[in-house]
Amino acid sequence: MPYERPPLSKGLLAGREQASDILINDEAFYAEQGITTMLDTPVVRVDFDARTLHVERGEPLTYETLIIATGARPRTFDIPGAHADGVYYLRTIGDARAIREAASVAKRAVTIGGGFISMEFASVLASQGVDTTMVFPEERVWARLFHARDLRVFRALLP
């Protein structure tokens, strides 16, 4: 069911929240609103003229209005080893669970990126006793968001 993504790099990753805690609404809400959810149902074709959506398994669906909200994918690296064991990308609940399991036995970790999610991710890992290093191409964290002088406030808050 649809869920809030911010807790993936915070509460869910840290083990303070469960998947059920981050749902936007429970399953009953959607049924009460007349919303059918079709999880794990790839769309294989859209006939825009006939206003019909063809899914991998099941009957075609007709619509009056179609909203295409496919989400996003994490940026991955096109280099050897980018998908090797021990390399994780954080996007889904499953990703957070896999990372949490790996972190429970890890001694060292490296996060790539200097944005909010990487900072949260590094903070959770460090709080669990994992020696964590952040690597990013900019001269400082959040370089695209804040001027260097504005980061003094954040530096004062971080251990």
Side-chain angles (χ1 to χ4, degrees):
M1 302 307 296
Y3 56 89
E4 300 283 351
R5 286 197 50 243
L8 293 180
S9 59
K10 298 177 194 150
L12 194 68
L13 186 62
R16 293 188 308 267
E17 293 179 286
Q18 301 301 315
S20 59
D21 298 328
I22 66 171
L23 294 178
I24 295 172
N25 295 295
D26 62 22
E27 198 168 344
F29 168 85
Y30 298 99
E32 291 166 4
Q33 301 303 314
I35 299 169
T36 302
T37 56
M38 299 175 67
L39 306 176
D40 297 316
T41 307
V43 173
V44 295
R45 186 168 58 89
V46 178
D47 183 336
F48 293 102
D49 294 328
R51 294 182 177 207
T52 304
L53 193 72
H54 297 267
V55 294
E56 193 171 77
R57 295 174 305 278
E59 296 296 313
L61 305 167
T62 58
Y63 63 87
E64 290 180 27
T65 302
L66 176 64
I67 299 171
I68 300 174
T70 57
R73 298 187 194 283
R75 188 180 327 167
T76 60
F77 294 100
D78 187 20
I79 57 174
H83 298 283
D85 289 344
V87 176
Y88 298 90
Y89 296 90
L90 179 61
R91 175 69 186 163
T92 67
I93 288 175
D95 296 339
R97 286 179 176 148
I99 293 166
R100 185 172 67 203
E101 184 177 323
S104 71
V105 295
K107 292 180 177 40
R108 294 181 45 85
V110 175
T111 67
I112 299 175
F116 284 107
I117 292 179
S118 186
M119 289 288 291
E120 290 169 346
F121 195 173
S123 175
V124 167
L125 292 173
S127 73
Q128 294 176 349
V130 178
D131 182 11
T132 306
T133 300
M134 292 181 63
V135 177
F136 43 91
E138 299 85 11
E139 64 193 41
R140 63 186 186 284
V141 297
W142 300 331
R144 291 180 292 172
L145 301 172
F146 299 103
H147 190 276
R149 68 178 174 268
D150 300 327
L151 289 176
R152 284 178 287 187
V153 173
F154 295 109
R155 281 192 201 112
L157 297 173
L158 296 173

